[in-house]
Amino acid sequence: MALPGFRKRRSANAANADGSAKGGASANNDAIIKQLTKTRRNAALVSSFCYLLAFVFLVLVEIGNTKGTKVLGDIYFFKLDLANIIPQSVPSLSLMNSIARTLGLHDFYQVGLWNFCEGYDDEGITYCSTPTNLWWFNPVEILKNELFAGASIPLPNQVNEILNYLHLASNIMFGFFLASTILDFLMIFIAPVVLYSRWWSMPVGIMSFINFILALVAAAIGTAMSLIFKYALTSQSDLNIQVETGTKMLAFSWIAVGFTFLSFIIHSGLCCCCTSRRDVRTGRKGSQSMPAGSMEEKSKTGSKLPSFGRDSTKS
C-alpha cells in the first residue's frame, strides 16, 4: 500500500517541478523576446512620437487665424496690407487713404484655413469670419462686400483669372490638411502594432506613406498659394497692395511634413529590418539566441521527468 502512495506523491512533486520549470522558462523566453525586439520597439515608439509632434503642428495649422487672439491671430497663410492702397503718385496720400477707410476698407486682411480676419494697424484684428468647411479666400467678393454701395476698386484680369484655380486648390488643401491631421492622431496608437509581426509593417507603412503625401501636398499648395498671391498682387503697381506671407503657418505645416516623412522612413525600414515578436517565436530570427536559455531549461526539466518516472517504477 505504501508503493502507490509513494508513486502519487512523486508524481505530484514532478508536476510541481514541471510547472515551475515551465513558468521559469516562459519568463526567461519573454525576457529574451523583449531583448531581441528592443530595436523594433524603440523604432515604433520613435515613430509614434513623430506622429504626435506632427499632429500638434497640424492642429496649430487648423486653428490658426480662427480667432483674433495674440497667438492664433499671428498664424495665417498670407496677409493683404491695404493701408496704402492709394498709389504713392496720388497727391494728398494720407487724406485719400483716410477716405478709403471711410468707404469700408480695412487696413489688412489675413487668410487662414477656415476663415479670414480683418483689422486696422492701430487697433489690430477687429473681426474674424465664421470658420466654414471648404472655405476659400475670394478677395474680389470680400472687398466688394466691405465697400459701401456705389464704391468699387478695379481689379486686374490677372487676379480674376487665378480665382478658379485658387478655389480648387483651397478645397484640396483644406481636405488634405484635415485628413492628415486625423491620420496622424490615429497613427500614434497604430504604429506600435508593428512590434508584434512584420506583416503589420506593410499596411502601416502604406498608411504612413498616404499620410506623408497628404501633408506634403497640403503644405505645398498652401506655400504656392501664398507666393502666387504675393506675386500677382504686388506686381500690380496701380493697386499698391502689399502681401505678407505667414511664416509661422508655413513653418508649422512643413515641420509636420518633416515628422510624417521621418515616420514613413521608419516604417519602411521596419518592413525588412529589426526582429519582431513573431520572428522570434517562429524561429525565423533570433533562433540562435533564444534557445540558448530556453532549450537549457527544457533539457533540465525534460531529463528529470523520465528519470524520475523510471526510478519510481523501479522502487
Side-chain angles (χ1 to χ4, degrees):
M1 296 298 294
L3 184 58
F6 174 75
R7 294 175 65 181
K8 289 181 181 178
R9 286 194 298 270
R10 300 285 291 193
S11 178
N13 293 336
N16 293 334
D18 181 53
S20 62
K22 287 184 178 179
S26 178
N28 192 24
N29 291 346
D30 291 339
I32 294 174
I33 290 175
K34 289 182 179 180
Q35 182 64 28
L36 292 175
T37 59
K38 182 179 179 180
T39 303
R40 192 176 187 86
R41 180 176 67 252
N42 292 339
L45 292 177
V46 170
S47 66
S48 293
F49 183 69
C50 290
Y51 285 125
L52 175 61
L53 294 177
F55 173 75
V56 171
F57 282 106
L58 285 180
V59 167
L60 292 176
V61 173
E62 292 284 342
I63 65 177
N65 202 65
T66 54
K67 292 183 179 180
T69 60
K70 184 177 181 180
V71 176
L72 298 182
D74 289 337
I75 305 176
Y76 51 84
F77 283 107
F78 59 90
K79 179 179 181 180
L80 304 181
D81 187 359
L82 307 182
N84 299 317
I85 192 171
I86 305 299
Q88 298 288 338
S89 59
V90 176
S92 303
L93 175 63
S94 60
L95 177 62
M96 293 297 295
N97 281 325
S98 63
I99 294 175
R101 178 181 289 196
T102 60
L103 292 177
L105 287 178
H106 290 73
D107 289 342
F108 64 85
Y109 298 84
Q110 55 190 44
V111 179
L113 192 62
W114 297 77
N115 62 337
F116 77 95
C117 294
E118 61 188 12
Y120 301 103
D121 292 337
D122 54 350
E123 299 180 16
I125 297 176
T126 58
Y127 169 77
C128 289
S129 62
T130 303
T132 307
N133 293 331
L134 298 177
W135 179 85
W136 70 288
F137 179 70
N138 188 343
V140 177
E141 181 181 356
I142 292 175
L143 292 179
K144 285 183 178 179
N145 292 335
E146 291 289 305
L147 293 172
F148 293 128
S152 62
I153 292 180
L155 293 175
N157 293 329
Q158 184 177 3
V159 176
N160 294 325
E161 290 175 358
I162 66 174
L163 289 181
N164 292 332
Y165 298 102
L166 175 64
H167 188 187
L168 177 61
S170 297
N171 290 341
I172 295 175
M173 179 183 66
F174 180 91
F176 280 20
F177 265 130
L178 186 59
S180 181
T181 304
I182 295 174
L183 271 179
D184 275 322
F185 178 76
L186 295 177
M187 292 296 289
I188 296 174
F189 308 99
I190 296 176
V193 175
V194 300
L195 175 63
Y196 297 97
S197 175
R198 195 181 301 272
W199 288 101
W200 285 104
S201 297
M202 181 63 69
V204 174
I206 293 175
M207 292 179 62
S208 180
F209 177 73
I210 294 174
N211 186 23
F212 166 66
I213 293 299
L214 292 175
L216 176 63
V217 173
I221 291 177
T223 303
M225 183 176 63
S226 300
L227 295 178
I228 290 174
F229 249 100
K230 183 176 182 178
Y231 171 77
L233 293 178
T234 56
S235 62
Q236 304 298 322
S237 58
D238 294 339
L239 289 177
N240 197 29
I241 298 178
Q242 302 298 321
V243 180
E244 176 187 351
T245 57
T247 55
K248 290 184 179 179
M249 178 76 86
L250 299 181
F252 291 160
S253 61
W254 283 107
I255 290 174
V257 172
F259 281 119
T260 54
F261 177 72
L262 180 59
S263 298
F264 166 65
I265 293 299
I266 292 175
H267 285 294
S268 299
L270 291 178
C271 290
C272 57
C273 303
C274 301
T275 304
S276 67
R277 288 179 175 267
R278 185 175 181 274
D279 292 335
V280 178
R281 287 170 178 167
T282 57
R284 297 181 61 183
K285 286 192 176 183
S287 58
Q288 295 179 352
S289 301
M290 183 176 175
S294 60
M295 291 301 294
E296 183 179 355
E297 295 294 334
K298 290 181 180 180
S299 62
K300 290 181 180 179
T301 56
S303 61
K304 286 182 179 180
L305 278 176
S307 61
F308 182 78
R310 288 193 295 269
D311 291 342
S312 62
T313 303
K314 290 180 182 180
S315 59

